[in-house]
């Protein structure tokens, strides 16, 4: 397997293949394995030569876990793109380099099925599924990790020997705990995933056409937008509260609105618009959308633009809301700070949001509120490593900049905005009646910084809650030398 070094014409493209340009790594060399055996060889060579390896699939980590100056060997699995039905295991095998969009395409064209996964089609499956993975279809079908039947992993034993192992959810599998850790334990913790097997939890037999949920017959999308100039604090508050109340009322597993997903984009006033985008599936999609808008936008009494479109599932999945991933998206430096909510925002939090979103500052960013729950909330907190199973919203404070001079003001703004949303819990969404921590697929190293997390609750509790000790045991067993680590990696012992 060829080593791609800084003198190679491919090096710059490969080293720079990352969504968040805020971070820059310069590995000694990059490898592009095409098989599990080649990953074993790559890891073994790094360990033997005392070089720190990191792995990349799609390159969409929000923090600098892969683009880390301390990482010496980058193992890029993007050429591992196999996807097939494995009749022996009764599950779809998906290699770690497959992108979410390609996975959607091949599952649909081959068998008419779907796995509920991420929103951006360029995300790599390798680092996505093991962090839980939620997206447009989560309320109807759950998390991608809920469909994980098995995982193939390259890891390193206590003697320093790299090897591959397969772990499944079968009760008789001696490696079952390793499977469980990959249902929400986060990437870069135990080894390098080379392959997933995916199957609905309640499916048996070897019929690929029923191994995963049937893909939607169509997708109906909606976009509405308000001009910020028309919005005052009263109407802003009503909008934010209406959205939260709707989520509270309709995030149960039995809600007729589980086929509907929406995001409220409370953009900074600099951007000029407040927006809501979403989708619904099924024969009643248009009605669900109209009722959703009537409950949230109607009572505010402000004019808004509205666009509703119907398309095939595949057409949508391969280019969803293209304005979200427009030109320039790949040049951004960003900071995203995530939180799960069990109850809507209270008045003081709404006032804080209005204050920061109307601040006179050269900021690009906002507060995003995504509907959550539905099928996600049918799983018990310890059945998978993804413990947040009664939330109604996934919320994110985010900012982005291209000009390096924007880094300081943008980071100060988003960090203080997030901190001031949670004044009663040390600046972070601790698990309590209203909030329930954060999503590891949206990592935030500030949570491990006592300057920004003054709650006394450690970062790992925010992500993993009571599941963390169990994850620590898996870490100790499968990565005893701590070969795979980063700023928020699981520690074998506290």
């Amino acid at each position: 397997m060829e080593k791609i070094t800084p003198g190679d014409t491919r090096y710059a493209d490969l080293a720079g293949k990352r969504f968040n340009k805020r971070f820059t790594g310069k590995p000694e060399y990059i490898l592009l394995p095409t098989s599990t055996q080649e990953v074993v060889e790559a890891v073994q060579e790094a360990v033997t030569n005392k070089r720190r390896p990191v792995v990349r699939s799609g390159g969409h980590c929000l923090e600098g876990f892969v683009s880390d100056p301390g990482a010496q060997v980058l193992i890029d699995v993007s050429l591992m793109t196999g996807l097939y039905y494995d009749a022996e295991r009764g599950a779809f095998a998906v290699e770690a380099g497959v992108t979410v969009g390609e996975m959607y395409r091949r599952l649909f064209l081959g068998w008419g099925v779907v796995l509920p996964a991420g929103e951006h089609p360029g995300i790599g499956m390798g680092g996505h599924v093991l962090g839980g993975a939620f997206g447009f279809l989560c309320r109807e079908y759950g998390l991608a990790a809920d469909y994980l039947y098995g995982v193939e992993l390259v890891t390193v034993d206590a003697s320093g020997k790299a090897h591959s192992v397969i772990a499944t959810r079968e009760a008789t599998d001696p490696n079952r705990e390793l499977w469980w850790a990959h249902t929400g334990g986060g990437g870069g913790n135990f080894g390098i995933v080379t392959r997933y097997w995916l199957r609905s939890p309640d499916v048996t037999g070897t019929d690929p056409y029923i191994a995963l949920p049937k893909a939607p017959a169509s997708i109906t999308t909606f976009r509405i937008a308000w001009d910020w100039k028309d919005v005052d604090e009263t109407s802003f508050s009503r909008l934010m509260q209406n959205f939260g109340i709707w989520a509270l009322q309709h995030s149960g597993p039995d809600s007729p609105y589980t086929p509907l997903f929406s995001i409220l984009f409370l953009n900074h006033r600099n951007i000029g618009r407040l927006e809501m985008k979403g989708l619904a599936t099924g024969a009643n999609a248009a009605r669900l959308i109209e009722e959703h808008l009537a409950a949230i936008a109607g009572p505010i009494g402000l004019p808004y633009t509205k666009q509703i479109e119907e398309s095939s599932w595949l057409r949508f999945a391969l280019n969803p809301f293209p304005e979200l991933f427009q030109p320039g998206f790949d040049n951004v430096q960003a900071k995203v700070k995530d939180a799960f909510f069990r109850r809507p925002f209270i008045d003081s939090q709404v006032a804080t949001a209005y204050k920061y979103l109307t601040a006179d500052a050269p900021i690009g960013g906002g507060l995003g509120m995504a509907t959550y729950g539905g099928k996600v909330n049918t799983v018990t907190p310890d059945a998978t490593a993804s413990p947040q199973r009664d939330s109604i919203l996934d919320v994110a404070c985010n900012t982005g900049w291209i000009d390096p001079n924007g880094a300081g003001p943008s980071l100060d703004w988003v960090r203080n905005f997030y901190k001031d949303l949670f004044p009663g819990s040390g600046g972070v969404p601790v698990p309590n009646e209203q909030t329930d921590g954060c999503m590891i697929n949206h990592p935030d190293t500030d949570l491990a910084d006592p300057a920004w997390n003054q709650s006394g609750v450690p970062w790992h509790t925010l992500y993993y809650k009571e599941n963390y000790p169990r994850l620590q045991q898996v870490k100790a067993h499968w990565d005893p030398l701590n070969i795979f680590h980063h700023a928020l990696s699981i520690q074998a012992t506290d």
Side-chain angles (χ1 to χ4, degrees):
M1 186 169 29
E2 180 184 7
K3 293 181 180 178
I4 298 172
T5 58
D8 193 300
T9 55
R10 295 167 291 178
Y11 182 91
D13 278 338
L14 286 167
K17 191 188 87 173
R18 60 194 185 282
F19 157 67
N20 194 350
K21 298 300 192 290
R22 185 173 155 221
F23 304 102
T24 303
K26 194 171 182 181
E28 294 176 13
Y29 61 89
I30 301 169
L31 296 169
L32 289 163
T34 59
S35 68
T36 299
Q37 181 54 39
E38 287 189 345
V39 175
V40 171
E41 293 166 5
V43 172
Q44 187 64 70
E45 182 175 23
V47 172
T48 299
N49 294 313
K50 296 182 168 49
R51 296 291 187 266
R52 180 185 162 200
V54 292
V55 62
R56 180 179 64 201
S57 178
H60 288 80
C61 183
L62 295 176
E63 289 286 6
F65 298 165
V66 178
S67 299
D68 183 340
Q72 297 155 307
V73 178
L74 172 57
I75 301 172
D76 185 310
V77 298
S78 61
L79 295 184
M80 298 181 65
T81 57
L83 190 158
Y84 58 93
Y85 183 72
D86 183 341
E88 183 180 347
R89 298 186 189 278
F92 288 99
V94 180
E95 291 188 341
V98 177
T99 63
V100 166
E102 181 66 0
M103 181 267 300
Y104 286 145
R105 188 181 74 85
R106 292 169 69 179
L107 287 180
F108 179 77
L109 293 180
W111 301 275
V113 298
V114 69
L115 176 79
E119 298 166 3
H120 180 31
I123 292 171
M125 288 289 284
H128 182 54
V129 174
L130 75 167
F134 96 112
F136 294 123
L137 301 179
C138 70
R139 285 167 48 84
E140 187 169 11
Y141 298 123
L143 304 178
D146 298 340
Y147 293 81
L148 184 62
Y149 172 78
V151 62
E152 181 179 58
L153 186 77
V154 173
T155 193
V156 180
D157 66 20
S159 71
K161 185 177 188 304
H163 61 101
S164 65
V165 60
I166 292 173
T168 72
R169 67 176 174 227
E170 296 292 344
T172 55
D173 190 332
N175 301 331
R176 190 177 191 277
E177 282 295 281
L178 183 62
W179 159 83
W180 175 86
H182 285 77
T183 61
N189 280 309
F190 312 104
I192 296 178
V193 172
T194 54
R195 191 186 331 260
Y196 295 110
W197 284 271
L198 301 157
R199 186 178 82 200
S200 296
D202 55 347
V203 166
T204 58
T206 58
D207 182 353
Y209 292 90
I210 62 169
L212 288 171
K214 186 176 176 60
S218 63
I219 294 285
T220 303
T221 61
F222 65 91
R223 299 169 172 88
I224 69 171
W226 299 264
D227 192 318
W228 243 120
K229 294 194 298 290
D230 297 332
V231 178
D232 61 14
E233 186 164 7
T234 299
S235 52
F236 175 90
S237 300
R238 191 168 296 149
L239 171 61
M240 196 168 172
Q241 289 166 337
N242 287 353
F243 194 85
I245 290 169
W246 188 94
L248 177 66
Q249 294 173 339
H250 300 293
S251 291
D254 298 326
S255 169
Y257 291 92
T258 55
L260 185 145
F261 174 89
S262 68
I263 305 176
L264 180 61
F265 294 91
L266 298 170
N267 302 315
H268 191 280
R269 182 172 276 175
N270 292 338
I271 296 172
R273 290 151 58 94
L274 299 171
E275 301 170 293
M276 188 161 68
K277 304 176 195 287
L279 60 89
T281 67
N284 297 320
R287 177 179 59 80
L288 295 178
I289 289 169
E290 290 299 336
E291 291 171 355
H292 184 60
L293 299 183
I296 295 167
I300 299 169
L302 293 179
Y304 59 86
T305 61
K306 180 169 74 170
Q307 180 182 357
I308 296 180
E309 297 178 345
E310 185 175 342
S311 74
S312 70
W313 157 245
L314 187 59
R315 179 184 170 199
F316 169 80
L318 296 181
N319 194 23
F321 298 109
E323 67 273 16
L324 297 181
F325 313 115
Q326 57 194 319
F329 175 76
D330 287 335
N331 293 318
V332 74
Q333 300 180 58
K335 181 68 175 178
V336 178
K337 300 177 70 66
D338 176 85
F340 281 115
F341 275 69
R342 290 166 148 163
R343 306 279 300 178
F345 283 78
I346 60 175
D347 290 347
S348 60
Q349 291 170 318
V350 174
T352 295
Y354 185 81
K355 169 189 166 185
Y356 276 91
L357 294 173
T358 58
D360 186 13
I363 297 300
L367 178 71
M369 301 169 60
T371 56
Y372 204 70
K375 186 67 177 290
V376 175
N377 291 352
T378 62
V379 178
T380 58
D382 62 351
T384 68
S386 302
Q388 291 89 359
R389 295 294 184 165
D390 62 359
S391 294
I392 65 170
L393 294 167
D394 180 66
V395 172
C397 295
N398 60 80
T399 187
W401 62 95
I402 294 177
D403 184 344
N405 293 326
S410 297
L411 286 169
D412 286 346
W413 176 82
V414 77
R415 283 169 164 159
N416 284 296
F417 182 5
Y418 187 83
K419 175 177 70 71
D420 288 351
L421 283 175
F422 310 107
S425 56
V428 297
V430 301
N432 60 28
E433 184 178 338
Q434 187 200 25
T435 55
D436 201 22
C438 313
M439 183 183 299
I440 193 58
N441 266 357
H442 299 161
D444 175 12
T445 55
D446 290 349
L447 299 181
D449 184 344
W452 297 108
N453 178 1
Q454 299 175 2
S455 67
V457 176
W459 67 265
H460 51 75
T461 298
L462 297 173
Y463 288 118
Y464 302 119
K465 300 174 64 177
E466 289 81 8
N467 286 341
Y468 188 63
R470 192 171 165 189
L471 289 167
Q472 288 182 290
Q473 293 175 4
V474 177
K475 174 72 170 180
H477 182 82
W478 291 102
D479 185 24
L481 301 180
N482 198 28
I483 298 298
F484 303 97
H485 62 273
H486 52 73
L488 294 178
S489 58
I490 293 164
Q491 304 298 307
T493 57
D494 287 327

